[in-house]
Amino acid sequence: MTRKAHCCCGACSIEVEGDPVLNAVCHCGNCKRRTGSAFGWSAYFADERVTARAGDFGLYEITGANPQQRWFCAACGTTLLWKADAWPARTGVAGGCFTEIPLPEPTATVSNNGRCAWLGLPGDWRTAL
């Protein structure tokens, strides 16, 4: 199965094959700032499962303790995908950007020490960190 994630304006996209190797919500400050929300929905795919990328992307690089490269739409600003040095050979894609063929429900929650106290999650999700 091929899935395509789009930015808000539709100018940028990424295509991936199959299901993610990790489908999780993250509560770290980095993901909260990236999304402007209470958490970030991150779907990680093996690099070889990324089959296409299209559009005019800008690049934002994070240096320091957790180096990352984030690609965002130059027109609307949606962060669509990223690479993190901590997880080589994987490409992260914003889970909410898969709207035509949505991803399955996330199965993990990470960086839970940053989770908003009012946010409840399913009890059967795997917890990491």
Side-chain angles (χ1 to χ4, degrees):
M1 170 191 309
T2 300
R3 287 189 172 89
K4 193 172 195 177
H6 297 272
C7 64
C8 288
C9 73
C12 291
S13 64
I14 181 171
E15 284 185 18
V16 295
E17 192 67 35
D19 288 325
V21 293
L22 177 64
N23 184 6
V25 295
C26 181
H27 308 278
C28 77
N30 190 3
C31 284
K32 287 179 179 182
R33 286 187 296 277
R34 175 180 61 81
T35 63
S37 186
F39 56 84
W41 182 6
S42 302
Y44 285 90
F45 294 86
D47 287 347
E48 62 269 12
R49 300 300 228 153
V50 176
T51 58
R53 214 170 109 172
D56 183 16
F57 285 93
L59 173 63
Y60 172 67
E61 294 195 63
I62 298 171
T63 59
N66 185 19
Q68 298 176 29
Q69 301 79 43
R70 292 183 184 162
W71 288 270
F72 59 91
C73 174
C76 70
T78 302
T79 300
L80 197 56
L81 66 134
W82 56 90
K83 299 282 294 173
D85 286 7
W87 210 9
R90 303 285 187 253
T91 298
V93 183
C97 292
F98 290 99
T99 55
E100 294 166 2
I101 302 175
L103 293 172
E105 175 182 341
T107 57
T109 175
V110 298
S111 297
N112 288 285
N113 57 343
R115 184 165 61 176
C116 296
W118 50 264
L119 182 63
L121 296 172
D124 61 341
W125 284 13
R126 183 172 44 94
T127 301
L129 302 176

